[in-house]
Amino acid sequence: MNTLYLILGIGLLTAGGELLIRGAMGAAHHFRVSPLLSGLVIVGFGTSMPELVVSVDAALNHQPDIALGNVVGSNIANVLLILGLCAIITPLAVSRLALQRDTFTVIAATMLFIFLAAGDTLSRPDGLILLAGLASYITWAYWTERSAATPAAQMHATEANDVGHVPQSIGAAVLATMAGLALLIGGSRLLLVGAVGMARDFGVSEALIGLTLVAVGTSLPELTVSVIAAIRRHGDVAVGNILGSNIFNVLGILGVSALVQPLTVSGRLESFDQWVMLGVAVLLLVFLYTGRRLSRMEGVTLVACYALYVGASFALVQA
């Protein structure tokens, strides 16, 4: 039953995330929101809504290992697994602005999280600091891309245009948004019940389940958007979506989660996984700076690194 709950939860989260993005895009079209802002905020951050709902739900239910593990594990999976798979499909190019701004922002956000978590707890003031960082990033990104002629602006406009089956009327858009939220909440409840149950059944920590099964499950919207972008040869969209999602995960999701309920940072997250998350961000920066693209061989390397990370995670349990 726990496995069934987990699978159903992931399915509802994926469907809810898709509906929410489409509903929000429909409302954005109705109110004439620019494609730049739609792609930057709605698509870039909307794909992280499953992570947000699950982490906040876990925080409210006093399950900090799942709340934190979901974000840390998702950021690791986004780069190693999702970008790795996309690069195998087609080499991924990236704009200079996104490379200089977004990749360094991911690293800076990760380092900020590590610094704040050094006291073994993410407190409510820490959450406010993270959310202030997110607001600063959104403002910075919008002002650096406000000219529609910039490659980064064109990338975010393409992100918005790649969303299919957008509701045309405001009523349908609102209905899709509300239905998406309902599916996200229901999926989160089922996912958490299944995840905690599986952790007890197999005698492993909630942190490990959050870092692997929950993290990959909540990253499915990013996988869908990025793979579709890769198939359409929109490599910059695939990379931009992952970078934006990772920024929102650390600054937005952990910020909101810590604000509603202070989060205790467990031993393995503090000693191992957060450093893997930082190392992965630095590795991505190195790969992107070699020709401003991710090659197929680098994609294979990233996927292999993810397999090693999962193997090391389970090896730590047995040690």
Side-chain angles (χ1 to χ4, degrees):
M1 284 304 297
N2 289 324
T3 303
L4 180 61
Y5 287 148
L6 191 73
I7 294 172
L8 286 175
I10 290 173
L12 290 177
L13 284 168
T14 304
E18 288 290 315
L19 270 176
L20 182 67
I21 290 174
R22 291 174 184 175
M25 286 298 300
H29 288 168
H30 178 80
F31 291 108
R32 302 183 184 277
V33 176
S34 70
L36 163 60
L37 196 58
S38 297
L40 175 64
V41 178
I42 296 175
V43 180
F45 295 157
T47 53
S48 291
M49 285 305 296
E51 287 100 325
L52 174 63
V53 175
V54 168
S55 286
V56 170
D57 199 356
L60 289 171
N61 285 279
H62 303 285
Q63 297 167 320
D65 283 349
I66 292 182
L68 288 163
N70 176 38
V71 169
V72 174
S74 289
N75 276 23
I76 294 171
N78 282 350
V79 174
L80 296 182
L81 181 62
I82 297 178
L83 278 186
L85 290 174
C86 291
I88 292 172
I89 294 172
T90 184
L92 305 175
V94 62
S95 68
R96 182 180 298 275
L97 177 59
L99 177 60
Q100 292 175 341
R101 185 195 65 210
D102 295 347
T103 310
F104 281 105
T105 300
V106 170
I107 294 174
T110 303
M111 293 177 68
L112 176 61
F113 161 70
I114 292 174
F115 173 76
L116 294 176
D120 298 332
T121 301
L122 275 182
S123 64
R124 287 190 173 90
D126 293 336
L128 289 174
I129 292 172
L130 292 172
L131 289 174
L134 177 63
S136 299
Y137 167 75
I138 294 175
T139 303
W140 180 27
Y142 182 76
W143 281 102
T144 54
E145 299 177 14
R146 63 188 184 279
S147 170
T150 65
Q154 293 170 3
M155 178 196 75
H156 286 301
T158 303
E159 275 186 319
N161 293 330
D162 278 350
V163 178
H165 307 291
V166 175
Q168 299 302 309
S169 68
I170 187 62
V174 171
L175 183 62
T177 302
M178 297 302 293
L181 284 172
L183 289 176
L184 284 169
I185 294 170
S188 172
R189 287 278 77 215
L190 286 175
L191 182 67
L192 289 176
V193 170
V196 172
M198 288 185 71
R200 291 172 180 165
D201 291 342
F202 291 101
V204 298
S205 67
E206 292 183 3
L208 178 60
I209 295 297
L211 285 158
T212 52
L213 293 176
V214 175
V216 172
T218 55
S219 291
L220 288 180
E222 286 94 334
L223 176 64
T224 301
V225 171
S226 295
V227 167
I228 290 175
I231 293 173
R232 293 176 178 175
R233 307 289 180 181
H234 296 159
D236 55 343
V237 172
V239 175
N241 173 59
I242 293 302
L243 292 176
S245 176
N246 281 16
I247 292 168
F248 182 74
N249 284 351
V250 174
L251 299 179
I253 295 176
L254 289 183
V256 172
S257 299
L259 198 61
V260 299
Q261 180 67 46
L263 303 172
T264 302
V265 184
S266 73
R268 68 156 292 165
L269 280 165
E270 190 171 20
S271 62
F272 178 65
D273 300 290
Q274 66 178 7
W275 300 108
V276 174
M277 180 171 65
L278 178 60
V280 163
V282 173
L283 178 63
L284 178 62
L285 175 65
V286 172
F287 280 177
L288 289 179
Y289 257 98
T290 57
R292 283 172 52 192
R293 65 193 306 222
L294 273 179
S295 66
R296 283 193 172 92
M297 185 54 65
E298 289 168 339
V300 171
T301 302
L302 292 177
V303 174
C305 286
Y306 188 69
L308 287 173
Y309 166 71
V310 173
S313 294
F314 282 93
L316 284 175
V317 175
Q318 298 174 353

